[in-house]
Amino acid sequence: MRRLPQTCGRVISGLLAFLLASAVALLASAQPAAAHGTLAESTPAGGSTVREPFTAVRLYFTEKAAANAFFTVTAPDGTRVDDGWSQGEPKPLEKPVREYFLVNGQFEPREYTTGFPAVVTVAHLPAKGQYSVSYLSVASDGDTVRGTLTFRYDGRVAAAPKGWSPPSTQPDPALVAATEQHNTSGQASAVPTTADDPSNPPAAAAPSTESTEESGFGTVALAGWAVVVAAAGAVAAYIFWRRRSASTRRPTGRGRTSPATSGRRGGGARPTNKAGTGPATGGKTIGGGKADGRRTVVAPAPGDKRRPTTVPAARKGNAVVTARTGVAVDPTPTDQTVAGTDGEPTVEPGARPDTDLAAAAPGSRLSNTHLALLVGGLVIALLAGFGLARIGTGDGNPADRSARQPAGGPPAPGQEGAANDGHQHPAGTGPHTHRGDGATGETLATGTTVSAGGYTLQPLERSQPPGVRADYRFRIVGTDRQPATRFAVVHDKPLHLIVVGRDLSGYQHLHPTMAADGTWSVPLTLARPGGYRVYADFSVTAPNDTQIPLVLGVDHTVPGAHTPTALPPVQAQAKAGPYAVSMTGTPTVGVTAPMHFKVSADPTVPVQLEPYLGAYGHLVVVREGDLGYVHVHPEPELVDGSVKFWLTAPSSGRYRAFFDFQVAGKVHTAEFTINVP
C-alpha cells in the first residue's frame, strides 16, 4: 500500500493553523451588547397561567424605569385594562442578571441582584384568555427598553369599575423622540444573562440580517458552525492519514522496506537509533547518503541474526556507495526500493519514494511537538465553533432570546422586542431582525424608496390604461447593474407584490413569476385613473449566500381624470365578501400592541379559517401621505378564536389596514382605517 506523501502533513498543518486563526478572529468579533435597564422578571411571569384575580402587574427591571415610561395591559378582546403605573419597592432578584458595558473599548460585565419594579395597575379582568403587557422606556445609558410579555388568565372575571373607560393614551413624545435619537429600534436593548451560566455570553448588539423563520441562522452562528464543520473534516483527514501511516509501517512479508528506511527525496533515510535498528531488508543498502556525515542503513540478509547497522556513505556520481558493501544506489526521487522476486528489495526506476511522517525529524516533518500544538489548536477551534453557534442560535434560554426578538411579536415571556424594516413577526418566530432599506428608529415603515440595501426596483412599465389587463414587469437590480435571480422563499413565495392607490384604495396582493433573466411579470388590472404605489416585498440571496429582506417601492400611473377617494372613518367592523370581520386593539407609537381580527359568517358564528401563505392571515398597513409600508405576520396559531398580530405603529397619523385571510380555498381582504393619535 502506498503511503501518503509529506505534502499531506503540511496541508493538515496549514488547515489546522487556519482553523485556529479563524476561531480567534471570530471570537474576537462576537462582542456582547453594551446595554442595561432590562426586564429581569415579572409577576405574573411571562407564559404563565394565573387562576386567581390580581390588581397589578409588576415588571422588575435592573434599574428604575424612566419617569415617562409607558406601559399597557391588554385583555383578550383587545381592549386595554391598564390604569396607570408607579415605581415599586426594590427586591432581590430570583436570579442575578449580568449586563455588559463598554469601558475603554472593552466590554465589562456587571451583575445585578436587585429588581426595580414598575407596578402597572389593572382596572379589571374582563375575560379569560391571553393578556398582553407592553412596555417602552429608556435606560440611563440612552438605550431603548422595549418589549412585550403574555400570560393567560383562567380565574374569575369582573366588570369594569363604574365610570371607568379603556385608556387610549400614547407614549410621551419626548420618550418616542429619545428612542428614535438613540437609533436602536432594530437592536437589542440589552442582554441579561444569569450569573450561574457564565458559559453563555451574550451576542453582539448589531442586528443580524437573517431570520430563523425566513433565513435560517444568523451570520455569527453560520460562521461558528462553519468552523465546526471544517474542524471535523480536519479531524477525519488526520485520523485517516494516521491509520494509513501506521499500516504502511508494518512489514509486508515480502521484504518490502520499512517507511523508516525508505528512500528519501534529496538524501538517505535517517537511522531510527544509534545502532541503526530497522526492519530487515535482505542485506541491501537502502537510501542514499552524503560524504558530509550522513549515513546509510545496512540490514543483514534473511536468517542473519545480526542487527542492522549504519555506515558512512560516499557519493559517486549520482549514486551513493556504502563503505561496507560497495553497492551503489541512485538516491534520486525517482527511485524506490521494492521487493524483488527473491524476497529481497530492489530499486524500481521511475517510482517516487514513500515518506514516514511520524518518524520525521524536527523541522522537516510533523514532530510530536508540532502534533501537540496542532491538536491543541484543533480543540480550540472546535470549542470556538460550538461557542459561536451557541451565541448565534441561542440555547432556548429566554434571557438569551431577549436581545434579538423583533417588536413585531412578543418574544419569550418577559423579554425584549423590536422591529425596523416594515416586517413585524409574532411570538415563536425566533431571534432575528430585518434591516430592510436601512430604516432605523426614525420610522418602522418601509417602501418609501426605490433603492435600498444595494438593490433597486426597476420597472419596465411606468403606466397602463385604466381597466385594461396588462403585464406589469420589473427587475430587482444589484449594484453591479445586473438583475438579481436568487430569492428566498418567504411565506410560500419568492416575492410578494403589493399594489395600492395613493388614496389608499385599490389594494391588491399579487405574486409575480420570474424569468431566467431576472425579469418578473404579473397580470395587473387597475380600474381607476390615478397614482398607485407598487411594493416589492422579498428576500434576496446575496453573492455571499446571506439573505437580505427588503421592501422597495415605486410609483405607477394610470392616465385619466382622477377623483381621490376619501379615507373611510375608523370602524371596528368590516365586510369581506360574505364574512364579517372585527378588529380590536389600540395601535401605539413605538410600542408593540396586540391587534385581534375575528372572522364570522354573522356576528356570532365564527368560520373555519385556512392557512394562507403559511399563516392564518396577513396584515399590510400603509400610512397616509408618504405611503410608508408595514407588513405584519400573526401568531402561528389562533388565539382565543382570533388571528392575533403584534403591531408597532411607526408614528402618529392615519393608516389603512388590509387583512388577508382564506376560507374554503378563497382569499378575502377586510379593510380598516386606523387612527394613531
Side-chain angles (χ1 to χ4, degrees):
M1 180 180 294
R2 184 176 178 82
R3 293 179 290 275
L4 294 179
Q6 182 177 356
T7 304
C8 178
R10 293 172 179 169
V11 170
I12 294 176
S13 301
L15 177 58
L16 293 176
F18 170 76
L19 290 174
L20 177 59
S22 300
V24 172
L26 288 171
L27 283 176
S29 65
Q31 300 286 2
H36 62 288
T38 58
L39 179 67
E41 59 189 52
S42 65
T43 305
S48 65
T49 298
V50 181
R51 294 179 173 84
E52 297 295 331
F54 58 92
T55 59
V57 172
R58 287 173 169 79
L59 305 175
Y60 294 89
F61 298 92
T62 56
E63 68 176 23
K64 286 186 176 181
N68 61 348
F70 186 80
F71 301 91
T72 64
V73 180
T74 306
D77 61 359
T79 59
R80 285 175 55 181
V81 294
D82 53 278
D83 192 17
W85 74 279
S86 61
Q87 302 281 4
E89 290 296 324
K91 74 156 195 172
L93 294 174
E94 293 183 3
K95 290 185 178 180
V97 172
R98 178 180 298 130
E99 297 171 353
Y100 288 78
F101 295 81
L102 188 62
V103 179
N104 298 326
Q106 299 292 329
F107 283 99
E108 295 183 358
R110 298 181 189 175
E111 290 186 359
Y112 292 83
T113 58
T114 302
F116 298 87
V119 182
V120 185
T121 302
V122 176
H124 68 123
L125 299 168
K128 296 181 179 181
Q130 187 183 82
Y131 284 71
S132 308
V133 181
S134 297
Y135 54 91
L136 177 65
S137 183
V138 175
S140 59
D141 67 348
D143 267 353
T144 299
V145 180
R146 185 202 325 262
T148 301
L149 64 88
T150 62
F151 61 87
R152 297 196 69 84
Y153 178 65
D154 195 26
R156 178 172 53 85
V157 300
K162 185 177 181 180
W164 185 87
S165 60
S168 58
T169 54
Q170 297 288 318
D172 182 358
L175 174 63
V176 176
T179 62
E180 293 175 353
Q181 181 179 6
H182 195 67
N183 192 21
T184 57
S185 291
Q187 300 184 17
S189 64
V191 184
T193 305
T194 55
D196 57 354
D197 186 17
S199 63
N200 185 24
S208 169
T209 58
E210 272 87 35
S211 162
T212 302
E213 175 184 340
E214 301 177 6
S215 307
F217 299 109
T219 303
V220 175
L222 290 176
W225 286 115
V227 172
V228 173
V229 172
V235 171
Y238 178 77
I239 294 174
F240 177 75
W241 162 67
R242 292 291 294 173
R243 287 182 176 177
R244 292 202 62 180
S245 297
S247 64
T248 56
R249 284 195 294 270
R250 301 187 185 99
T252 62
R254 297 181 59 194
R256 181 167 178 155
T257 59
S258 164
T261 58
S262 296
R264 177 175 170 175
R265 183 185 298 269
R270 290 178 179 269
T272 58
N273 55 37
K274 292 183 179 181
T277 303
T281 55
K284 287 283 189 176
T285 302
I286 301 175
K290 290 185 179 180
D292 58 358
R294 300 192 67 174
R295 307 172 70 85
T296 59
V297 178
V298 179
D304 192 338
K305 296 183 179 180
R306 291 176 299 173
R307 300 178 65 182
T309 61
T310 58
V311 296
R315 181 172 295 277
K316 183 177 181 180
N318 290 331
V320 174
V321 180
T322 67
R324 180 175 178 178
T325 63
V327 177
V329 180
D330 188 351
T332 61
T334 58
D335 293 347
Q336 181 172 343
T337 305
V338 297
T341 56
D342 59 353
E344 295 187 353
T346 61
V347 175
E348 182 180 3
R352 188 170 297 275
D354 293 337
T355 304
D356 179 18
L357 298 179
S364 62
R365 298 177 185 176
L366 276 175
S367 66
N368 289 338
T369 302
H370 291 161
L371 286 175
L373 291 175
L374 292 174
V375 170
L378 177 60
V379 172
I380 294 176
L382 285 170
L383 293 176
F386 281 112
L388 288 170
R390 186 180 180 90
I391 291 173
T393 61
D395 63 351
N397 184 352
D400 179 68
R401 293 193 297 268
S402 67
R404 296 163 301 198
Q405 183 73 23
Q415 306 304 330
E416 305 281 334
N420 75 329
D421 77 330
H423 294 76
Q424 301 178 12
H425 300 263
T429 298
H432 77 281
T433 60
H434 295 281
R435 302 191 70 162
D437 61 359
T440 62
E442 299 176 2
T443 177
L444 302 179
T446 53
T448 57
T449 61
V450 70
S451 298
Y455 293 88
T456 299
L457 173 57
Q458 186 182 81
L460 302 186
E461 294 87 18
R462 302 301 297 266
S463 66
Q464 68 183 78
V468 175
R469 182 183 175 90
D471 282 342
Y472 182 78
R473 300 180 301 154
F474 63 95
R475 301 187 184 99
I476 306 298
V477 181
T479 54
D480 57 359
R481 299 185 179 180
Q482 298 299 314
T485 56
R486 300 175 63 200
F487 294 83
V489 175
V490 179
H491 288 281
D492 298 344
K493 300 293 180 180
L495 188 145
H496 300 260
L497 195 75
I498 306 298
V499 182
V500 65
R502 298 201 67 87
D503 58 3
L504 302 183
S505 66
Y507 168 87
Q508 298 185 54
H509 185 163
L510 308 173
H511 299 107
T513 57
M514 187 186 72
D517 65 352
T519 300
W520 294 85
S521 63
V522 64
L524 176 63
T525 303
L526 299 172
R528 300 172 58 247
Y532 292 82
R533 190 70 174 174
V534 177
Y535 304 94
D537 188 338
F538 60 92
S539 289
V540 66
T541 304
N544 61 355
D545 289 332
T546 59
Q547 294 181 5
I548 306 174
L550 295 169
V551 178
L552 305 179
V554 68
D555 288 334
H556 191 68
T557 304
V558 176
H562 171 60
T563 303
T565 301
L567 199 63
V570 176
Q571 291 183 341
Q573 300 286 333
K575 292 288 292 183
Y579 304 106
V581 182
S582 63
M583 178 187 70
T584 56
T586 307
T588 307
V589 178
V591 176
T592 306
M595 302 293 295
H596 295 258
F597 293 83
K598 185 168 291 188
V599 182
S600 56
D602 59 52
T604 59
V605 181
V607 300
Q608 183 66 43
L609 294 178
E610 299 171 347
Y612 169 57
L613 299 176
Y616 280 107
H618 292 266
L619 183 64
V620 170
V621 180
V622 181
R623 181 168 51 197
E624 183 182 36
D626 68 347
L627 304 183
Y629 170 97
V630 177
H631 185 183
V632 193
H633 300 154
E635 292 274 6
E637 301 295 335
L638 297 177
V639 177
D640 300 321
S642 67
V643 183
K644 184 176 183 178
F645 297 89
W646 295 89
L647 174 66
T648 306
S651 66
S652 299
R654 293 199 300 175
Y655 297 80
R656 193 67 169 164
F658 305 94
F659 170 57
D660 295 328
F661 63 95
Q662 179 171 288
V663 179
K666 186 176 181 180
V667 178
H668 303 271
T669 302
E671 303 183 10
F672 299 86
T673 298
I674 297 176
N675 185 31
V676 180

PDB file of all heavy atoms in Angstrom, residues 24 90 144 249 262 264 281 290 363 375 389 422 469 517 523 534 543 551 581 610 631 636 663:
ATOM      1  N   VAL A  24     -10.052  32.333  16.593  1.00  0.00           N
ATOM      2  CA  VAL A  24      -9.671  33.507  17.383  1.00  0.00           C
ATOM      3  C   VAL A  24     -10.299  34.769  16.817  1.00  0.00           C
ATOM      4  O   VAL A  24     -10.836  35.613  17.532  1.00  0.00           O
ATOM      5  CB  VAL A  24      -8.134  33.629  17.432  1.00  0.00           C
ATOM      6  CG1 VAL A  24      -7.730  34.946  18.085  1.00  0.00           C
ATOM      7  CG2 VAL A  24      -7.530  32.455  18.189  1.00  0.00           C
ATOM      8  N   PRO A  90     -37.873  48.137  45.593  1.00  0.00           N
ATOM      9  CA  PRO A  90     -36.935  47.145  45.044  1.00  0.00           C
ATOM     10  C   PRO A  90     -36.949  45.853  45.845  1.00  0.00           C
ATOM     11  O   PRO A  90     -37.279  45.845  47.033  1.00  0.00           O
ATOM     12  CB  PRO A  90     -35.576  47.850  45.136  1.00  0.00           C
ATOM     13  CG  PRO A  90     -35.912  49.306  45.236  1.00  0.00           C
ATOM     14  CD  PRO A  90     -37.215  49.380  45.978  1.00  0.00           C
ATOM     15  N   THR A 144     -32.845  52.002  24.284  1.00  0.00           N
ATOM     16  CA  THR A 144     -34.282  51.761  24.332  1.00  0.00           C
ATOM     17  C   THR A 144     -34.566  50.465  25.069  1.00  0.00           C
ATOM     18  O   THR A 144     -33.914  49.450  24.844  1.00  0.00           O
ATOM     19  CB  THR A 144     -34.859  51.674  22.915  1.00  0.00           C
ATOM     20  OG1 THR A 144     -34.625  52.906  22.238  1.00  0.00           O
ATOM     21  CG2 THR A 144     -36.351  51.402  22.949  1.00  0.00           C
ATOM     22  N   ARG A 249       3.679   1.142   7.940  1.00  0.00           N
ATOM     23  CA  ARG A 249       4.918   0.883   8.657  1.00  0.00           C
ATOM     24  C   ARG A 249       5.110  -0.592   8.994  1.00  0.00           C
ATOM     25  O   ARG A 249       6.141  -0.988   9.467  1.00  0.00           O
ATOM     26  CB  ARG A 249       4.967   1.716   9.944  1.00  0.00           C
ATOM     27  CG  ARG A 249       5.282   3.174   9.711  1.00  0.00           C
ATOM     28  CD  ARG A 249       5.669   3.861  11.010  1.00  0.00           C
ATOM     29  NE  ARG A 249       4.576   3.916  11.941  1.00  0.00           N
ATOM     30  CZ  ARG A 249       3.702   4.923  12.006  1.00  0.00           C
ATOM     31  NH1 ARG A 249       3.804   5.931  11.169  1.00  0.00           N
ATOM     32  NH2 ARG A 249       2.736   4.923  12.894  1.00  0.00           N
ATOM     33  N   SER A 262      12.947   3.870   4.000  1.00  0.00           N
ATOM     34  CA  SER A 262      12.637   4.092   2.595  1.00  0.00           C
ATOM     35  C   SER A 262      13.516   5.183   2.042  1.00  0.00           C
ATOM     36  O   SER A 262      14.017   6.038   2.751  1.00  0.00           O
ATOM     37  CB  SER A 262      11.163   4.487   2.432  1.00  0.00           C
ATOM     38  OG  SER A 262      10.350   3.425   2.845  1.00  0.00           O
ATOM     39  N   ARG A 264      14.531   8.628   0.344  1.00  0.00           N
ATOM     40  CA  ARG A 264      14.071   9.952   0.756  1.00  0.00           C
ATOM     41  C   ARG A 264      14.539  10.984  -0.252  1.00  0.00           C
ATOM     42  O   ARG A 264      15.648  10.949  -0.734  1.00  0.00           O
ATOM     43  CB  ARG A 264      14.635  10.251   2.136  1.00  0.00           C
ATOM     44  CG  ARG A 264      14.301  11.629   2.646  1.00  0.00           C
ATOM     45  CD  ARG A 264      14.807  11.749   4.037  1.00  0.00           C
ATOM     46  NE  ARG A 264      14.718  13.117   4.484  1.00  0.00           N
ATOM     47  CZ  ARG A 264      14.997  13.498   5.701  1.00  0.00           C
ATOM     48  NH1 ARG A 264      15.348  12.604   6.594  1.00  0.00           N
ATOM     49  NH2 ARG A 264      14.925  14.767   6.043  1.00  0.00           N
ATOM     50  N   THR A 281      16.067  -5.911   5.490  1.00  0.00           N
ATOM     51  CA  THR A 281      15.926  -5.511   4.094  1.00  0.00           C
ATOM     52  C   THR A 281      16.739  -6.385   3.165  1.00  0.00           C
ATOM     53  O   THR A 281      17.100  -5.983   2.074  1.00  0.00           O
ATOM     54  CB  THR A 281      16.384  -4.056   3.923  1.00  0.00           C
ATOM     55  OG1 THR A 281      17.724  -3.947   4.429  1.00  0.00           O
ATOM     56  CG2 THR A 281      15.486  -3.094   4.679  1.00  0.00           C
ATOM     57  N   LYS A 290      25.426  11.085   1.925  1.00  0.00           N
ATOM     58  CA  LYS A 290      26.337  12.131   1.505  1.00  0.00           C
ATOM     59  C   LYS A 290      27.661  11.947   2.236  1.00  0.00           C
ATOM     60  O   LYS A 290      27.724  11.323   3.294  1.00  0.00           O
ATOM     61  CB  LYS A 290      25.756  13.508   1.809  1.00  0.00           C
ATOM     62  CG  LYS A 290      24.565  13.859   0.934  1.00  0.00           C
ATOM     63  CD  LYS A 290      24.113  15.271   1.189  1.00  0.00           C
ATOM     64  CE  LYS A 290      22.939  15.625   0.301  1.00  0.00           C
ATOM     65  NZ  LYS A 290      22.477  17.017   0.533  1.00  0.00           N
ATOM     66  N   GLY A 363      11.621  19.874  12.345  1.00  0.00           N
ATOM     67  CA  GLY A 363      11.943  20.890  11.357  1.00  0.00           C
ATOM     68  C   GLY A 363      11.694  20.442   9.945  1.00  0.00           C
ATOM     69  O   GLY A 363      11.598  21.254   9.047  1.00  0.00           O
ATOM     70  N   VAL A 375      -3.036  19.726  17.460  1.00  0.00           N
ATOM     71  CA  VAL A 375      -4.220  19.134  18.087  1.00  0.00           C
ATOM     72  C   VAL A 375      -4.830  20.109  19.088  1.00  0.00           C
ATOM     73  O   VAL A 375      -6.050  20.264  19.185  1.00  0.00           O
ATOM     74  CB  VAL A 375      -3.857  17.796  18.762  1.00  0.00           C
ATOM     75  CG1 VAL A 375      -5.018  17.299  19.611  1.00  0.00           C
ATOM     76  CG2 VAL A 375      -3.510  16.761  17.701  1.00  0.00           C
ATOM     77  N   ALA A 389     -21.722  29.102  17.464  1.00  0.00           N
ATOM     78  CA  ALA A 389     -23.049  28.619  17.071  1.00  0.00           C
ATOM     79  C   ALA A 389     -24.043  28.810  18.197  1.00  0.00           C
ATOM     80  O   ALA A 389     -25.201  29.154  17.982  1.00  0.00           O
ATOM     81  CB  ALA A 389     -22.962  27.140  16.684  1.00  0.00           C
ATOM     82  N   GLY A 422     -40.393  47.312   8.460  1.00  0.00           N
ATOM     83  CA  GLY A 422     -41.714  47.104   7.897  1.00  0.00           C
ATOM     84  C   GLY A 422     -42.201  45.685   8.048  1.00  0.00           C
ATOM     85  O   GLY A 422     -43.348  45.408   7.750  1.00  0.00           O
ATOM     86  N   ARG A 469     -56.206  44.833 -18.682  1.00  0.00           N
ATOM     87  CA  ARG A 469     -55.325  43.833 -18.075  1.00  0.00           C
ATOM     88  C   ARG A 469     -53.991  43.848 -18.815  1.00  0.00           C
ATOM     89  O   ARG A 469     -53.932  43.581 -20.019  1.00  0.00           O
ATOM     90  CB  ARG A 469     -55.972  42.449 -18.147  1.00  0.00           C
ATOM     91  CG  ARG A 469     -55.160  41.319 -17.509  1.00  0.00           C
ATOM     92  CD  ARG A 469     -55.898  39.999 -17.717  1.00  0.00           C
ATOM     93  NE  ARG A 469     -55.147  38.852 -17.243  1.00  0.00           N
ATOM     94  CZ  ARG A 469     -55.218  38.366 -16.014  1.00  0.00           C
ATOM     95  NH1 ARG A 469     -56.015  38.943 -15.132  1.00  0.00           N
ATOM     96  NH2 ARG A 469     -54.523  37.310 -15.664  1.00  0.00           N
ATOM     97  N   ASP A 517     -33.927  35.441 -16.959  1.00  0.00           N
ATOM     98  CA  ASP A 517     -33.074  36.624 -16.997  1.00  0.00           C
ATOM     99  C   ASP A 517     -33.327  37.585 -15.839  1.00  0.00           C
ATOM    100  O   ASP A 517     -32.782  38.687 -15.805  1.00  0.00           O
ATOM    101  CB  ASP A 517     -33.246  37.367 -18.323  1.00  0.00           C
ATOM    102  CG  ASP A 517     -34.660  37.932 -18.495  1.00  0.00           C
ATOM    103  OD1 ASP A 517     -35.540  37.624 -17.660  1.00  0.00           O
ATOM    104  OD2 ASP A 517     -34.883  38.668 -19.470  1.00  0.00           O
ATOM    105  N   PRO A 523     -49.907  39.687 -14.309  1.00  0.00           N
ATOM    106  CA  PRO A 523     -51.045  40.439 -14.874  1.00  0.00           C
ATOM    107  C   PRO A 523     -51.599  41.416 -13.839  1.00  0.00           C
ATOM    108  O   PRO A 523     -51.787  41.068 -12.678  1.00  0.00           O
ATOM    109  CB  PRO A 523     -52.055  39.343 -15.211  1.00  0.00           C
ATOM    110  CG  PRO A 523     -51.259  38.085 -15.307  1.00  0.00           C
ATOM    111  CD  PRO A 523     -50.153  38.233 -14.313  1.00  0.00           C
ATOM    112  N   VAL A 534     -46.416  50.709  -5.904  1.00  0.00           N
ATOM    113  CA  VAL A 534     -46.135  49.284  -6.066  1.00  0.00           C
ATOM    114  C   VAL A 534     -44.991  48.918  -5.128  1.00  0.00           C
ATOM    115  O   VAL A 534     -43.910  49.511  -5.187  1.00  0.00           O
ATOM    116  CB  VAL A 534     -45.762  48.953  -7.525  1.00  0.00           C
ATOM    117  CG1 VAL A 534     -45.409  47.474  -7.658  1.00  0.00           C
ATOM    118  CG2 VAL A 534     -46.894  49.326  -8.465  1.00  0.00           C
ATOM    119  N   PRO A 543     -24.462  37.430  -3.046  1.00  0.00           N
ATOM    120  CA  PRO A 543     -23.405  36.530  -3.525  1.00  0.00           C
ATOM    121  C   PRO A 543     -22.738  35.732  -2.423  1.00  0.00           C
ATOM    122  O   PRO A 543     -22.248  34.637  -2.674  1.00  0.00           O
ATOM    123  CB  PRO A 543     -22.413  37.509  -4.193  1.00  0.00           C
ATOM    124  CG  PRO A 543     -23.255  38.655  -4.639  1.00  0.00           C
ATOM    125  CD  PRO A 543     -24.298  38.808  -3.567  1.00  0.00           C
ATOM    126  N   VAL A 551     -37.971  45.792   1.272  1.00  0.00           N
ATOM    127  CA  VAL A 551     -39.227  46.279   0.709  1.00  0.00           C
ATOM    128  C   VAL A 551     -38.886  47.516  -0.108  1.00  0.00           C
ATOM    129  O   VAL A 551     -38.415  48.516   0.441  1.00  0.00           O
ATOM    130  CB  VAL A 551     -40.262  46.621   1.791  1.00  0.00           C
ATOM    131  CG1 VAL A 551     -41.536  47.163   1.138  1.00  0.00           C
ATOM    132  CG2 VAL A 551     -40.599  45.391   2.629  1.00  0.00           C
ATOM    133  N   VAL A 581     -65.834  40.859   9.697  1.00  0.00           N
ATOM    134  CA  VAL A 581     -64.534  40.827  10.356  1.00  0.00           C
ATOM    135  C   VAL A 581     -64.496  41.944  11.384  1.00  0.00           C
ATOM    136  O   VAL A 581     -64.803  43.100  11.075  1.00  0.00           O
ATOM    137  CB  VAL A 581     -63.385  40.988   9.347  1.00  0.00           C
ATOM    138  CG1 VAL A 581     -62.037  40.891  10.061  1.00  0.00           C
ATOM    139  CG2 VAL A 581     -63.480  39.942   8.238  1.00  0.00           C
ATOM    140  N   GLU A 610     -58.469  29.001   7.043  1.00  0.00           N
ATOM    141  CA  GLU A 610     -57.459  28.122   6.473  1.00  0.00           C
ATOM    142  C   GLU A 610     -56.139  28.879   6.368  1.00  0.00           C
ATOM    143  O   GLU A 610     -56.126  30.096   6.173  1.00  0.00           O
ATOM    144  CB  GLU A 610     -57.883  27.651   5.085  1.00  0.00           C
ATOM    145  CG  GLU A 610     -59.172  26.866   5.061  1.00  0.00           C
ATOM    146  CD  GLU A 610     -59.660  26.606   3.645  1.00  0.00           C
ATOM    147  OE1 GLU A 610     -59.130  27.248   2.708  1.00  0.00           O
ATOM    148  OE2 GLU A 610     -60.567  25.773   3.484  1.00  0.00           O
ATOM    149  N   HIS A 631     -45.618  45.335   6.993  1.00  0.00           N
ATOM    150  CA  HIS A 631     -46.199  44.008   6.759  1.00  0.00           C
ATOM    151  C   HIS A 631     -46.077  43.209   8.047  1.00  0.00           C
ATOM    152  O   HIS A 631     -44.971  42.984   8.536  1.00  0.00           O
ATOM    153  CB  HIS A 631     -45.468  43.299   5.614  1.00  0.00           C
ATOM    154  CG  HIS A 631     -46.073  41.988   5.221  1.00  0.00           C
ATOM    155  ND1 HIS A 631     -45.522  41.173   4.255  1.00  0.00           N
ATOM    156  CD2 HIS A 631     -47.182  41.346   5.651  1.00  0.00           C
ATOM    157  CE1 HIS A 631     -46.262  40.088   4.115  1.00  0.00           C
ATOM    158  NE2 HIS A 631     -47.269  40.164   4.962  1.00  0.00           N
ATOM    159  N   PRO A 636     -48.559  32.036  15.210  1.00  0.00           N
ATOM    160  CA  PRO A 636     -48.681  30.827  14.386  1.00  0.00           C
ATOM    161  C   PRO A 636     -50.005  30.098  14.548  1.00  0.00           C
ATOM    162  O   PRO A 636     -50.431  29.380  13.649  1.00  0.00           O
ATOM    163  CB  PRO A 636     -47.497  29.967  14.837  1.00  0.00           C
ATOM    164  CG  PRO A 636     -47.111  30.503  16.168  1.00  0.00           C
ATOM    165  CD  PRO A 636     -47.437  31.950  16.162  1.00  0.00           C
ATOM    166  N   VAL A 663     -60.835  31.322   3.390  1.00  0.00           N
ATOM    167  CA  VAL A 663     -61.896  30.413   3.810  1.00  0.00           C
ATOM    168  C   VAL A 663     -62.336  29.620   2.589  1.00  0.00           C
ATOM    169  O   VAL A 663     -62.595  30.197   1.530  1.00  0.00           O
ATOM    170  CB  VAL A 663     -63.104  31.172   4.410  1.00  0.00           C
ATOM    171  CG1 VAL A 663     -64.207  30.191   4.810  1.00  0.00           C
ATOM    172  CG2 VAL A 663     -62.675  32.008   5.615  1.00  0.00           C
TER     173      VAL A 663
END
